[in-house]
Amino acid sequence: MLQFIVRRILWAIPVLLAVTFFTFALVRAIPGGPFDFAGDRSLPPSVVANLEAKYHLSDPLWQQFCSYLIGDTVCRPGDDSGRASKGVLLGDLGPSFRYRGRTVNDIIATALPISFQLGMMAMMLGIGIGIPFGVLAALKHNTWIDYSATLVAILGVSVSNVVLGPVLIWFFALKLGWFPVATWAAEPLFSGIADKYIAASEQIPMWVNIIPKPTVDFFMHAALPVFALGTALSATIARMTRGSLLQVIREDYIRTARSKGLRERAVVVRHALKNSLIPVVTILGPMFAGVLTGTFVIELIFAIPGLGRHFVNSIGNRDYPVVLGTTLLYGVAIVIANMLVDITYAWLDPRVRLE
Amino acid sequence: MATLLEVKGLETQFFTQDGVVHAVNGISYTLDEGETLAIVGESGCGKSVGVMSLIRLIPIPPGKVVAGEVWFDGKDLLKLSDDEIRQVRGNRIAMIFQDPMTSLNPVLTIGKQLTEAMQLHLGMDKEQARKRAVELLELVGIPGADKRLDEYPHQFSGGMRQRVMIAMGLSCNPQLLIADEPTTALDVTIQAQIVDLVKELKEKIGMAIIWITHDLGVVAGIAERVIVMYAGLIVEEAEVHDLYGKPLHPYTLGLLKSMPRLDLGKDAKLIPIEGLPPDLVDFPEGCPFAARCKYRVDRCFTENPPIEYVTPTHRVACWRWEAVHEELKANGGSHD
């Protein structure tokens, strides 16, 4: 197990290097640059040249890539601007070109916990609704329960969040006034405790922000976006669970279990469910990685300051370090999610050996 | 011997998009306590569906037992509630299946699969059930039983898995063991081992057995009585030596002639039964075997012969059984 994890992490290194390289190349291949516009005015060429020189954009590309990867001290000796990057390998994702004075690490540290909270709750809701409804639909195959669950699932998959989000806001926030219209209201659970141990000068580490204080305000704000995102996820999960369970329930070993005189519940729970979750887990991995690192549409509609918008806006802004940083973060999330998927396989199916 | 099981006019159909499949079309037979009965016939003749109908293992829908009675232990199994039939399944009547590779759950240990019926039916706790599971595995000839209980099916060979299936079937001391082609998926040497094992266990335990197969060679070694099925009907039933020595139905004769035999020398040819079994959706009028039968007369195409006793232990459903009998006698009583 430990050997498997270590090997997986070692394998992830070339993958992430390749991701870095190709993203770097692709984003530089897009026409235009980060300083073409400021607001809706274009900047004079001399200012652009100054800014590009400040961020070393006039250097040869190989040197830029080199210093992005392993830091200015190695690739740009003699830089004494005081803003020398330590390089991605040491966890320094560089400065943002658009958000003056903020580093990409800063942006991720403030935005990721919010997306993570939203994504985590949405996943829990998605799994919590999706798997039971999928099982129910499969067990009541070809009855009205199955048909209505399938109908709801198809609706959930096909009604976009662009539609569902505003409808929820209009009905539950504006008409009924049960929930706030938008924004996020998370206070770090450990902020008081952490303050005692972290010197004021130091930056508050990200993990402090990830776990929210479970206040009423927090959950009221979270309700609508979590519902919108969670139901969309649950639709996919339910369809997958239903299909998979219907297949498993026809297996010979299910007949064997029935021939022993087990109750239908025991047959399903003990003999069918574990087998049928294997394909479901496969889709949960990438889903997890995608949702936890931020969802553009939901965060935009509910004005949640998560990471989702940085994925999209940074490309329009040609904010190269943010594009690279978010892409890399997503890459890391995918690698970890797939590793967890494989570990779950081994737990579900004894024929899978982690080697 | 007392009668253990009495099947009367059992009819099972499957309601599919292509129409109603007449899988079992009114079969009746009895089984005594401790007796071994073989049911033979080619693929799709309703053997498996016929026995699965007994303990209501037919998937509903699309399948349905549309008529008949199954008397076991003074009760009609077809009229029991779901709870009551579950107390019979795996307890009084156990079943082992054709393919041991797919009939065991790949994600549960052998021990768990072996003990769950005992915990359910015999009210044993985990420890007692495990102790008995070890005994059962030893009984069916699996060495190192205690360790192997914690292993998974993929760690067992095909023959070993079928032994596990047999152990599972025997776990609650059933009065009837239904073996649905238990040797078909195994190679010949393993087949022989499994047949010997079941014979030996039967002597020790004394349960009745219904053994389904399409292999007449296996039947000779294990059964006392044989039922031959064709197109969902019983076409002949006889004691095992009568069936081999004096077959009366042209189909039985065809099966025997198509069987390879060591005693006939290597030049002897196998004679196949020409044609295919009838479509069970569009069931033919008259005898279902008529189209493939050498002995057929006009009547065979219009009237389906009822099954009738020719001797007290031998019954056959054929208008022309006397012709079959005469021809065999003329050939010196042998169907070679």
Side-chain angles (χ1 to χ4, degrees), chain A residues 252 256 259-260 270-271 275, chain B residues 90 102-103 105 113 116 121:
Chain A
D252 285 349
T256 307
S259 81
K260 289 183 200 167
R270 217 177 301 162
H271 287 265
N275 288 288
Chain B
T102 58
S103 293
N105 194 330
Q113 297 187 60
E116 65 182 347
H121 295 302

Side-chain angles (χ1 to χ4, degrees), chain A residues 5 9 69 98 168 173 184 218 232 244 250 295 301 319 338:
Chain A
I5 294 173
I9 291 170
L69 206 60
R98 270 288 151 151
L168 289 174
W184 200 248
F218 171 72
S244 166
R250 293 199 186 94
T295 41
I301 291 170
D319 197 342
N338 280 331

Side-chain angles (χ1 to χ4, degrees), chain A residues 251-264 270-272 274-275 278 348-353, chain B residues 52 57 83 86 89-90 95 97 99 102-108 112-113 116-117 120-121 152 154 165 168:
Chain A
E251 294 282 347
D252 285 349
Y253 55 80
I254 298 298
R255 188 181 56 190
T256 307
R258 290 205 175 109
S259 81
K260 289 183 200 167
L262 296 180
R263 280 172 195 290
E264 199 56 26
R270 217 177 301 162
H271 287 265
K274 217 173 156 193
N275 288 288
I278 291 168
L348 287 173
D349 189 341
R351 287 168 297 183
V352 177
R353 286 274 152 266
Chain B
M52 283 202 275
L57 274 184
D83 267 338
R86 273 200 290 270
R89 276 186 211 151
M95 193 158 175
F97 296 96
D99 193 348
T102 58
S103 293
L104 288 167
N105 194 330
V107 306
L108 299 178
K112 185 148 193 193
Q113 297 187 60
E116 65 182 347
L120 179 74
H121 295 302
Y152 291 91
H154 70 275
M165 286 295 289
M168 239 155 75

Side-chain angles (χ1 to χ4, degrees), chain A residues 159-177 179-181 224-225 227-228 297-298 301-302:
Chain A
V159 173
S160 155
N161 280 328
V162 177
V163 178
L164 184 62
V167 168
L168 289 174
I169 292 174
W170 169 74
F171 191 73
F172 290 103
L174 296 177
K175 275 210 96 151
L176 298 175
F179 301 105
V181 173
L224 292 183
F227 181 81
V297 173
I298 289 284
I301 291 170
F302 290 95

